[in-house]
Amino acid sequence: MMSRTKTQTDLTEGNIVKGILLFAAPILVGNVFQQLYNVVDTAVIGNVLGDNALAAIGAASPVYSLIVGFASGITSGFSVIISRLFGAKDRAEMKKAVSLTYVLTFIIALVMTSLGIIFTNPILKLLKTPDSIMADGAQYLIIIFSCSVFALLYNMAAGLLRAVGNSRTPLYFLVFSSIVNVVLDILFVKYLGWGIAGAAYATVLSELLSVVLAFVYIGRKIEMIRFSKGSLQFDKAMIKELLSMGFSMGLMYVVVSIGSVALQSTVNTFGDKIITAHTAARRVDDIFMLTLGSLSSAGATFVSQNYGAKKTERIKKGIKASLMMTTVWSIVSAMMIFVFGRLMIIGISGTHNEYIIENAQRYIRINISFFAVLGLLLIMRTSLQGIGRKAIPVLGSVIELILKFAGVFVITEQVGYIGVCVLEPMIWILSAILVTFDFLKQIIKINGEEISRK
């Protein structure tokens, strides 16, 4: 039987609010440092290389997110299965799932790296990326894609640790590697003059460091999530379960990313200044989204472990606690953005162009105002995944994709960049209604029968 240790936490016992907060806090801090990779790239490039280089990064980012988001979603799906087995205290099946996760993740990483390198230029052209930033954007992406295996392997290792209730250790690795990232960014871009390529090299070297630290720690400290040849079996049912959950979450990520790419293609047609404004605004927006994402990630592990342990009432109480916390954070975020948003935009982008600043402010103010809805959407979506539901979260993402494409061709064409600003909050509202309805329906069933996992 698995017991609570310093390297793992059983979320099926103890105070619910305290458990979720203690588990979410390291995820949040870790996400902040991971986001620092992007923020530092943006700040260094904007301040050292100027608005044009910053626009190149902005045009490239959604493409990278599309490929890596898909693979990262797959590894997150694997960790949901492992977390459920951990909650059920089924050690033999868990070890088998862990070993298969290592193999499947490595294969997926190689495929994603190859696809990213091959399709970088065609995708940038398809997105109507301006010629003035095409070369820089392609250079940045090719370097990132060439080493994207580091990011994917780290996400897998972090997912395994979190599946057994350890959210602190991945934080320590990210803090250290993020500090290295900052130092290398300044060294490569400002002092060695490597330009955008320098920012890319700083990022991948820092990710490599995270991977090394994570695997050394797992190898020495946590036997149950260590790769084991003895546990590696060609279990068709287990592989099917891992891939079905993994690909459902990966597809959800990629559908969302395709929508973002479509939106970016419209932003690209508005010119370099709007691209710069949108890039700076998204960086600020992403910072405030981190808490929502961290609480939803913690909720997914909480729900998955308790579903494996068959503790329905605890699941319900955990969802309520998570929604309360996301609502409080949404209010705090709105207050901070309306007071300090302008200063944050200037600090991140390095720009003093009023047209850029005003458009960036407009975007983040509109988005932040609907964060409570986004929090509901994220909590309900990850909770469905935690109880094994696959189809509805993906369907919600498909609806989001359709609405983004419709918005690109209807709203933004008619009203310009303001259409980009209002489009995502509208989509959050509709998607939240869908996933909340399905979760409420499933949680009623859970007391008397098996939840449908489709």
Side-chain angles (χ1 to χ4, degrees):
M1 179 175 291
M2 302 177 201
S3 60
R4 184 184 298 236
T5 71
K6 292 182 179 180
T7 59
Q8 61 200 57
T9 302
D10 188 344
L11 294 173
T12 63
E13 301 173 356
N15 182 277
I16 292 175
V17 174
K18 181 180 178 181
I20 292 175
L21 282 176
L22 289 177
F23 189 77
I27 297 176
L28 171 60
V29 179
N31 284 339
V32 168
F33 276 92
Q34 195 163 32
Q35 188 64 33
L36 186 62
Y37 286 162
N38 292 328
V39 173
V40 169
D41 283 346
T42 302
V44 172
I45 290 170
N47 284 277
V48 177
L49 302 179
D51 292 348
N52 209 53
L54 183 58
I57 295 294
S61 293
V63 182
Y64 175 65
S65 297
L66 175 64
I67 302 297
V68 175
F70 177 58
S72 297
I74 290 176
T75 59
S76 295
F78 294 165
S79 69
V80 167
I81 303 300
I82 293 166
S83 181
R84 186 185 307 151
L85 293 170
F86 177 78
K89 304 199 171 34
D90 190 342
R91 173 142 186 173
E93 286 297 295
M94 179 181 164
K95 283 288 293 180
K96 187 192 302 182
V98 167
S99 295
L100 286 170
T101 290
Y102 277 88
V103 175
L104 294 173
T105 299
F106 188 73
I107 293 172
I108 292 165
L110 293 179
V111 173
M112 292 298 101
T113 297
S114 301
L115 291 175
I117 294 172
I118 292 170
F119 291 106
T120 288
N121 281 301
I123 291 176
L124 286 175
K125 290 178 181 178
L126 182 65
L127 295 178
K128 304 173 186 177
T129 304
D131 292 338
S132 60
I133 61 176
M134 173 69 79
D136 282 342
Q139 181 186 31
Y140 181 84
L141 278 177
I142 288 174
I143 295 171
I144 293 289
F145 278 131
S146 297
C147 302
S148 60
V149 64
F150 302 147
L152 301 176
L153 289 176
Y154 172 76
N155 284 333
M156 182 208 73
L160 290 175
L161 287 165
R162 289 168 185 155
V164 297
N166 187 336
S167 59
R168 296 189 304 272
T169 303
L171 164 63
Y172 304 147
F173 302 150
L174 273 176
V175 169
F176 182 62
S177 62
S178 294
I179 293 172
V180 173
N181 192 151
V182 172
V183 173
L184 293 180
D185 253 320
I186 296 171
L187 174 64
F188 292 166
V189 176
K190 184 174 182 178
Y191 292 103
L192 296 182
W194 291 359
I196 284 180
Y201 286 127
T203 297
V204 299
L205 287 173
S206 300
E207 289 172 344
L208 173 60
L209 180 59
S210 294
V211 172
V212 172
L213 291 173
F215 278 84
V216 168
Y217 178 84
I218 289 173
R220 292 181 177 179
K221 298 288 186 179
I222 312 182
E223 186 273 335
M224 69 174 60
I225 56 172
R226 194 183 304 157
F227 177 79
S228 170
K229 288 184 180 180
S231 298
L232 183 60
Q233 302 175 31
F234 183 77
D235 186 325
K236 187 175 180 180
M238 177 66 74
I239 293 173
K240 181 179 179 181
E241 179 72 5
L242 286 167
L243 289 178
S244 62
M245 177 59 75
F247 274 93
S248 69
M249 291 187 71
L251 182 60
M252 183 188 73
Y253 276 77
V254 80
V255 166
V256 171
S257 294
I258 289 173
S260 297
V261 169
L263 209 58
Q264 184 67 47
S265 69
T266 295
V267 172
N268 290 348
T269 65
F270 296 143
D272 292 356
K273 286 185 174 59
I274 288 295
I275 295 175
T276 302
H278 188 71
T279 301
R282 285 306 298 256
R283 293 292 186 262
V284 174
D285 213 35
D286 288 345
I287 291 171
F288 284 93
M289 282 187 183
L290 291 176
T291 298
L292 299 181
S294 300
L295 286 170
S296 65
S297 295
T301 301
F302 178 89
V303 170
S304 187
Q305 284 194 14
N306 282 280
Y307 180 53
K310 304 184 185 302
K311 295 188 176 182
T312 309
E313 288 304 314
R314 190 172 173 83
I315 291 175
K316 294 177 183 178
K317 292 177 181 178
I319 297 299
K320 290 178 182 178
S322 297
L323 289 175
M324 176 192 70
M325 289 182 277
T326 58
T327 300
V328 170
W329 176 249
S330 300
I331 296 171
V332 172
S333 298
M335 293 172 62
M336 293 178 68
I337 281 298
F338 277 89
V339 176
F340 301 111
R342 177 184 176 86
L343 293 176
M344 295 181 71
I345 291 165
I346 295 173
I348 287 178
S349 68
T351 188
H352 293 284
N353 185 303
E354 282 300 321
Y355 181 75
I356 293 174
I357 294 170
E358 288 175 7
N359 278 282
Q361 278 187 290
R362 182 178 297 114
Y363 179 90
I364 59 174
R365 285 180 174 179
I366 292 173
N367 270 252
I368 290 283
S369 298
F370 288 87
F371 261 27
V373 177
L374 177 60
L376 173 63
L377 170 60
L378 294 177
I379 294 296
M380 290 294 102
R381 180 185 286 168
T382 55
S383 296
L384 282 172
Q385 292 160 347
I387 60 176
R389 290 282 284 172
K390 307 177 186 75
I392 293 299
V394 173
L395 177 61
S397 299
V398 170
I399 291 174
E400 180 176 339
L401 174 63
I402 294 171
L403 292 174
K404 278 189 177 179
F405 271 105
V408 165
F409 293 108
V410 179
I411 298 176
T412 57
E413 288 288 335
Q414 298 297 320
V415 300
Y417 185 61
I418 187 65
V420 175
C421 299
V422 302
L423 183 59
E424 287 184 303
M426 293 169 57
I427 293 171
W428 295 343
I429 293 171
L430 295 175
S431 298
I433 292 172
L434 172 66
V435 296
T436 300
F437 175 77
D438 186 66
F439 181 81
L440 293 175
K441 183 174 68 174
Q442 294 301 324
I443 205 66
I444 291 172
K445 290 182 180 180
I446 195 173
N447 286 310
E449 58 183 281
E450 180 73 11
I451 289 180
S452 169
R453 296 189 180 182
K454 297 182 179 179

